[in-house]
């Protein structure tokens, strides 16, 4: 009898040890996965389109075109607008209970911080930054034009020093120098950038180290990014034509490859993992990522057909401002 009880006890103890090991292993794996999660102050797509819209929870934070671009918030459905600041805001990012943004009242731009209820506004970064600013994993990344001899400054050489500042400690860390016009930190931990003639990626801990994705471009500009592709426009593109055109191209991350999709006729682009959205002559079109079949999604009531119109994503809806400056949400 005692022997049977002992055997049962040993079996129970072994099972308990096995379960503990499995659960501990699972917890470690879960923790490892959690540490790889990228926490952004705003989506990369919204940032590419000037970052004038961001959202968290039940609220949208935005630069209100009905009030000269001043910082507002409203309900997630676009109703009940509340002014947070008289500052003209862009590159809006959210971190915990705070809103960070570029103040554009009188350039050069400055980074400000304000509570999400509009209180306790203060200057966060004293540097006079260009319009590259984003928050990733508890750090504010931004660039400052490097002081150089004006005679050395050209469209091809206009260097910037890149920094990150901890949102928790305000510690500032230099990250190297770049000539990039635009810097977008993707969820893979690389910064994707372009200057006038090159599309490249840079190490986010040292922007002086860069790897070209494609070059020999002209007036290159990153238009949209999703998990697998960068969409960009350029005058010099590989195209089946005897002359250069201003084209929309797609660069795949893996395996690396470049495709010319079409002549670039849109005023603004937005990419999800499934679709590419374009605004052409006040019409919103959608194209599947691996297709060229463009479909009309919606006619837009907007003032201009140029870059005064931008597209943003709020939850699963595209967002834009109509001709009256009202927030319009389009389910896609």
């Amino acid at each position: 009898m005692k022997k049977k009880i002992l055997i049962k006890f040993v079996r129970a103890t072994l099972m308990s040890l096995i379960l503990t090991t499995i659960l501990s292993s699972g917890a470690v794996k879960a923790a490892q996965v959690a540490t790889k999660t990228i926490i952004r102050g705003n989506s990369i797509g919204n940032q590419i389109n000037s970052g004038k819209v961001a959202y968290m929870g039940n609220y949208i934070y935005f630069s209100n075109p009905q009030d000269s671009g001043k910082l507002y918030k409203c309900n997630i459905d676009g109703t009940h607008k509340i002014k947070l600041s008289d500052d003209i805001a862009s590159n809006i990012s959210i971190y915990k209970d705070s809103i960070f943004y570029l103040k554009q009242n009188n350039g050069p731009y400055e980074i400000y911080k304000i509570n999400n209820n509009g209180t306790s506004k203060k200057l966060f970064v004293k540097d006079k930054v260009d319009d590259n600013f984003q928050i990733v994993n508890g750090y504010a990344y931004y660039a400052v034009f490097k002081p150089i001899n004006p005679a050395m400054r050209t469209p091809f050489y206009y260097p910037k020093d890149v920094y990150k500042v901890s949102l928790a400690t305000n510690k500032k860390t230099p990250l190297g120098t770049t000539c990039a016009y635009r810097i977008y930190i993707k969820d893979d931990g690389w910064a994707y950038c372009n200057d006038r003639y090159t599309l490249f990626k840079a190490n986010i801990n040292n922007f002086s180290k860069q790897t070209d994705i494609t070059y020999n471009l002209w007036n290159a500009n990153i238009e949209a990014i999703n998990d697998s592709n960068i969409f960009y426009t350029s005058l010099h593109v590989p195209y089946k034509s005897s002359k250069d055109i201003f084209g929309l191209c797609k660069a795949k991350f893996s395996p690396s490859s470049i495709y010319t999709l079409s002549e670039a006729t849109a005023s603004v682009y937005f990419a999800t993992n499934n679709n590419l959205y374009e605004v052409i002559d006040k019409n919103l079109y959608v194209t599947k990522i691996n297709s060229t079949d463009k479909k009309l999604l919606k006619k837009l009531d907007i003032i201009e057909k140029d870059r005064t119109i931008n597209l943003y994503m709020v939850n699963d809806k595209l967002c834009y401002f109509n001709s009256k400056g009202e927030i319009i949400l389009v389910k896609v």
Side-chain angles (χ1 to χ4, degrees), residues 7-19:
I7 290 172
K8 287 182 179 180
F9 174 76
V10 170
R11 284 178 178 172
T13 303
L14 286 172
M15 287 300 295
S16 177
L17 287 171
I18 291 169
L19 284 171

Side-chain angles (χ1 to χ4, degrees), residues 62 72 92 97 173 188-189 193 196 229 236 289 291 309 312 325:
F62 63 101
Y72 275 67
I92 300 167
D97 294 328
T173 304
D188 60 4
C193 319
R196 192 169 186 177
N229 310 281
H236 292 292
I289 289 298
S291 170
I309 171 70
Y312 308 96

Side-chain angles (χ1 to χ4, degrees), residues 187-199:
D187 290 0
D188 60 4
W190 287 90
Y192 291 85
C193 319
N194 71 273
D195 55 27
R196 192 169 186 177
Y197 58 93
T198 308
L199 185 69

Side-chain angles (χ1 to χ4, degrees), residues 30-96:
Q32 289 173 345
V33 170
T35 58
K36 293 180 181 179
T37 300
I38 302 296
I39 301 173
R40 310 185 64 90
N42 200 350
S43 72
I44 195 167
N46 288 354
Q47 290 283 13
I48 290 173
N49 286 338
S50 77
K52 291 185 177 182
V53 171
Y55 74 95
M56 177 176 283
N58 296 321
Y59 293 100
I60 301 172
Y61 301 86
F62 63 101
S63 173
N64 188 357
Q66 294 177 318
D67 193 10
S68 304
K70 294 174 182 177
L71 182 63
Y72 275 67
K73 78 174 182 179
C74 67
N75 293 335
I76 200 71
D77 62 358
T79 62
H80 192 53
K81 297 177 183 177
I82 300 172
K83 183 190 288 189
L84 298 180
S85 171
D86 283 322
D87 292 344
I88 298 171
S90 70
N91 294 77
I92 300 167
S93 285
I94 306 166
Y95 183 76
K96 295 184 177 178

Side-chain angles (χ1 to χ4, degrees), residues 154-226:
T154 72
F156 304 98
Y157 184 70
Y158 208 142
K160 304 171 185 176
D161 290 324
V162 185
Y163 299 93
K164 72 176 181 180
V165 175
S166 169
L167 304 185
T169 66
N170 279 59
K171 181 182 178 182
K172 176 180 172 181
T173 304
L175 300 175
T177 302
T178 182
C179 285
Y181 289 172
R182 296 288 181 268
I183 298 169
Y184 302 111
I185 297 174
K186 194 173 170 292
D187 290 0
D188 60 4
W190 287 90
Y192 291 85
C193 319
N194 71 273
D195 55 27
R196 192 169 186 177
Y197 58 93
T198 308
L199 185 69
F200 60 92
K201 67 179 183 178
N203 186 315
I204 62 169
N205 294 312
N206 186 352
F207 277 76
S208 301
K209 293 182 179 181
Q210 66 181 56
T211 302
D212 288 353
I213 296 173
T214 184
Y215 53 91
N216 196 28
L217 308 175
W218 193 257
N219 286 338
N221 194 63
I222 294 174
E223 303 288 357
I225 297 176
N226 64 14

Side-chain angles (χ1 to χ4, degrees), residues 255-314:
S256 179
S257 55
I258 306 294
Y259 303 89
T260 301
L261 301 179
S262 64
E263 188 171 355
T265 56
S267 57
V268 67
Y269 302 86
F270 195 100
T272 64
N273 286 333
N274 297 318
N275 298 316
L276 177 67
Y277 299 94
E278 304 171 72
V279 176
I280 303 173
D281 294 331
K282 300 187 180 183
N283 294 317
L284 177 62
Y285 291 89
V286 59
T287 307
K288 293 292 184 184
I289 289 298
N290 295 317
S291 170
T292 57
D293 185 15
K294 197 187 306 288
K295 295 181 179 179
L296 177 64
L297 186 63
K298 182 180 177 64
K299 292 185 178 293
L300 304 180
D301 170 26
I302 54 178
I303 301 172
E304 302 282 352
K305 66 177 182 179
D306 59 15
R307 287 191 177 274
T308 57
I309 171 70
N310 277 312
L311 294 175
Y312 308 96
M313 189 66 76
V314 173

